[in-house]
Amino acid sequence: MNVAVLNEEVQDYIERHHHKDATPLLFKKPIFEGVSNTELLQQLVGKQKCKKKLPLWFGTPGIYYPPKLNLEQTSSEITARYKAEIVSGERLVDITGGFGVDTYYFAKKMDTVVHCDINEELSRITAHNFSVLGTNNITVLPANGLQFLKEDAEKIDWIFIDPSRRNPEQRKVFRLADCTPDVISHFKLLMGRTDNLLIKTAPLLDLSQGINELKWVKQIHIVAIQNEVKELLWVIQNGYQGNVSVKTINFTHSGVMRFDFDREEESTAVSTFSGPQHYLYEPNAAILKSGVFKKIGETYGLFKLHRNTHLYTHSELCPFPGRRFKIKQTLPYSKKALKALRLQKANISCRNFPETSAVIRKKTKIKDGGEHYLFFVKNSEEKQVVLHCEKIER
């Protein structure tokens, strides 16, 4: 960490130029004494990346930005605030602290928080930023979090771990055993130091696989932003033997969609089926990830189009945690039927269908976008049909 970057004239430059392409700096002479253009570029790129993801950091003067990879791997403010609502108590240890966004919001719920990260440079940057942000109940340690747990003697109410999902070749991984640190092999140590463990994993991790590999799973939180799943959060409670509760949440511009259920409820729920009626319902990404395909229809009184087509229908417009459409017409899947629509543009989705949207676009020459929505699906009678819809805005 180069403290010269925090000089007033350097900070003023960053504030005035962060919205521009800073790459040409690499080919120019240094602008400031004691600050290389590479270091300046890191700050400019960092501030750019934080504008939407971390608006508090972006809008706070004197923030020091780490390398781009550290910012790409950090939680957003939205997901960090959500995680903080899960925990409570006196002391939390974040053993993979990183840039400290999660740690910062944990500190708003806990009396004290310990931030561990083996990267000494990143720890210095994070400690500086906590000071700038006015946080005084976080202890930053440039240390291996697992080693800290072995040596620490104080009571820990919660441990948070966000294992790195990159292998030594910097390729992305998602299986628990492939992440660093390996939660499975260190599970005994973790649960020997606390009764409550919160794990953040890759969205690709299969829920059943995670439950099988981990003990005492109490809750799984599936967090999506703008209909894209960003995080899976696993709440482990020492000795817990009950049903696994799944909580889905989707943060959108128009509001927050939530749907919670127990996995046992899904196993006993029953789907009812129907052909397309007046309205079509598409669950949001968090719900689709959860696999709650029977309970969601049962809860809202909706009919499924097919056992493997996770779309729902009803003759009436109902509240629903996902997108809603008015079905204008139902067509057989044929070149003649599609040609009769005379559509140059449409949003195409394929569900339980033998062809992809890319293949269909190539065949029909229909471009992406516009106000028309075409769902290519298999119905309850095993027939391939096309639903021509218009979206219902919230």
Side-chain angles (χ1 to χ4, degrees):
M1 178 179 174
N2 183 359
V3 294
V5 165
L6 301 172
N7 291 341
E8 184 177 348
E9 64 273 17
V10 180
Q11 289 292 299
D12 181 62
Y13 181 91
I14 294 167
E15 187 63 33
R16 288 186 289 107
H17 293 86
H18 66 80
H19 60 284
K20 300 177 182 178
D21 178 14
T23 308
L25 277 176
L26 294 175
F27 309 101
K28 295 181 179 179
K29 293 181 179 179
I31 298 175
F32 300 102
E33 185 178 350
V35 178
S36 71
N37 282 2
T38 300
E39 290 172 318
L40 188 59
L41 179 63
Q42 176 178 307
Q43 298 307 303
L44 290 165
V45 171
K47 192 169 179 70
Q48 289 169 2
K49 286 193 168 293
C50 285
K51 185 173 184 179
K52 292 182 179 179
K53 189 175 184 178
L54 304 173
L56 175 62
W57 277 252
F58 174 83
T60 301
I63 290 292
Y64 197 105
Y65 298 97
K68 181 171 66 173
L69 181 61
N70 296 126
L71 292 176
E72 290 173 349
Q73 293 177 336
T74 194
S75 297
S76 66
E77 284 184 37
I78 292 175
T79 58
R81 281 196 298 266
Y82 180 81
K83 280 194 280 293
E85 293 304 313
I86 297 172
V87 304
S88 61
E90 296 181 2
R91 188 168 182 252
L92 178 146
V93 177
D94 183 345
I95 67 170
T96 52
F99 189 50
V101 177
D102 288 322
T103 315
Y104 173 82
Y105 284 99
F106 285 140
K108 292 185 174 295
K109 285 292 299 294
M110 309 294 292
D111 291 344
T112 60
V113 176
V114 178
H115 172 290
C116 297
D117 199 283
I118 201 166
N119 185 328
E120 293 188 15
E121 174 74 2
L122 186 58
S123 292
R124 281 193 290 270
I125 291 171
T126 302
H128 163 80
N129 289 337
F130 286 155
S131 176
V132 170
L133 292 167
T135 303
N136 56 16
N137 62 335
I138 301 175
T139 300
V140 178
L141 300 175
N144 182 308
L146 293 172
Q147 187 61 38
F148 172 81
L149 293 180
K150 294 176 183 178
E151 299 170 357
D152 179 64
E154 295 183 45
K155 182 190 175 198
I156 302 173
D157 294 297
W158 282 87
I159 293 174
F160 174 65
I161 181 169
D162 177 8
S164 172
R165 292 178 288 280
R166 289 183 183 270
N167 63 15
E169 291 75 37
Q170 292 301 305
R171 292 176 182 166
K172 290 185 179 181
V173 296
F174 64 91
R175 292 195 314 133
L176 290 171
D178 295 333
C179 298
T180 305
D182 174 0
V183 174
I184 306 302
S185 63
H186 294 98
F187 193 77
K188 185 176 180 180
L189 167 64
L190 294 165
M191 299 313 298
R193 294 293 289 113
T194 188
D195 285 334
N196 301 290
L197 173 64
L198 179 59
I199 309 171
K200 172 183 168 182
T201 67
L204 287 175
L205 183 65
D206 180 75
L207 300 193
S208 296
Q209 180 184 351
I211 291 171
N212 290 336
E213 291 185 343
L214 295 165
K215 285 183 181 179
W216 309 319
V217 178
K218 184 178 182 180
Q219 297 174 351
I220 304 172
H221 297 249
I222 305 173
V223 186
I225 299 177
Q226 301 304 330
N227 211 32
E228 180 183 353
V229 177
K230 296 292 187 180
E231 297 181 359
L232 296 186
L233 304 172
W234 303 74
V235 176
I236 314 295
Q237 187 179 84
N238 214 329
Y240 180 77
Q241 298 294 334
N243 292 333
V244 178
S245 173
V246 181
K247 301 179 180 297
T248 73
I249 186 163
N250 182 32
F251 294 96
T252 72
H253 293 310
S254 57
V256 179
M257 299 177 182
R258 297 176 186 265
F259 186 77
D260 302 342
F261 66 99
D262 286 347
R263 281 173 64 89
E264 183 66 24
E265 291 179 316
E266 173 63 12
S267 66
T268 59
V270 177
S271 293
T272 53
F273 301 91
S274 169
Q277 299 186 18
H278 296 314
Y279 297 98
L280 185 72
Y281 298 84
E282 179 188 43
N284 67 54
I287 290 174
L288 291 174
K289 174 64 183 179
S290 76
V292 61
F293 302 133
K294 294 182 292 184
K295 183 64 179 176
I296 189 76
E298 190 178 83
T299 299
Y300 290 93
L302 304 176
F303 304 97
K304 279 196 89 174
L305 295 181
H306 184 281
R307 184 170 62 88
N308 298 320
T309 301
H310 305 312
L311 295 169
Y312 304 80
T313 190
H314 201 278
S315 60
E316 297 180 1
L317 186 61
C318 315
F320 188 73
R323 296 196 299 176
R324 302 179 298 173
F325 300 86
K326 183 177 181 181
I327 301 175
K328 300 176 72 173
Q329 54 185 320
T330 303
L331 309 167
Y333 176 51
S334 69
K335 188 175 181 179
K336 181 179 179 182
L338 289 170
K339 189 175 182 181
L341 289 175
R342 296 182 178 179
L343 294 178
Q344 295 182 339
K345 266 182 141 183
N347 301 276
I348 294 176
S349 296
C350 296
R351 296 292 175 84
N352 189 25
F353 202 76
E355 293 181 345
T356 66
S357 57
V359 169
I360 291 171
R361 287 193 189 286
K362 188 174 181 180
K363 283 184 176 181
T364 62
K365 310 299 183 188
I366 296 175
K367 296 180 180 179
D368 186 30
E371 298 179 354
H372 297 273
Y373 291 79
L374 299 178
F375 288 88
F376 292 74
V377 303
K378 187 181 289 184
N379 65 16
S380 57
E381 298 175 347
E382 302 294 330
K383 293 180 179 178
Q384 296 172 13
V385 297
V386 183
L387 308 180
H388 180 203
C389 305
E390 63 180 24
K391 186 179 177 183
I392 297 172
E393 299 295 341
R394 293 189 174 273

